[in-house]
Amino acid sequence: MRTPVAWLLLLFATVLCVNADVSDRYRKFINQHVNGQMSTTRCDSEIRNRRISQTNSNECKETNTFILANTNTIKSICGQAGEPYGEMTKSLQPFHIVVCTLRNQQARHPNCQYRGQSRTRSIAIRCEEGLPVHFDRDIIHFEN
């Protein structure tokens, strides 16, 4: 009789770990890519204050995109406000974004210097369990 209980506990622990992993990736996505008040002149300070760098290093990230929207609006892309786009989900509506591009190629965090550029584009993100967990790219939308 103990075996089924042990399996249930193991299954429950596995589900908790998976959900925690998605939650961690969602929080990282929000930190790296969401700022409703972002401007092109704030790239250096936002990237430094949010400690954004290349994954698992202190190297400056080549580019980082900030989405000027609230988290609920971005989350809705993972539902009715998005459509499949390869392995990603594409927003049905364009977003205001700021793309920060590294200017000093050899620098290390926190001495990264960026040039900000404002755009209005559809965005492609990866969704897991209804949450955005990865920003893939911005997409130029041409009207027919």
Side-chain angles (χ1 to χ4, degrees), residues 13 19 23 29 32 35 51 54 63 65 71 75 78 80 88 95 129 132-133 135 140 142:
N19 287 339
S23 295
F29 173 87
Q32 285 191 321
N35 184 339
R51 301 183 192 283
Q54 288 286 22
T63 62
T65 302
T71 55
K75 238 193 285 188
C78 295
Q80 296 153 332
M88 302 294 156
F95 281 82
E129 298 180 23
V133 296
F135 180 89
I140 299 173
F142 295 105

Side-chain angles (χ1 to χ4, degrees), residues 6-21 129:
W7 280 110
L8 284 175
L9 288 173
L10 181 62
L11 178 64
F12 182 70
T14 302
V15 169
L16 285 178
C17 288
V18 170
N19 287 339
D21 189 41
E129 298 180 23

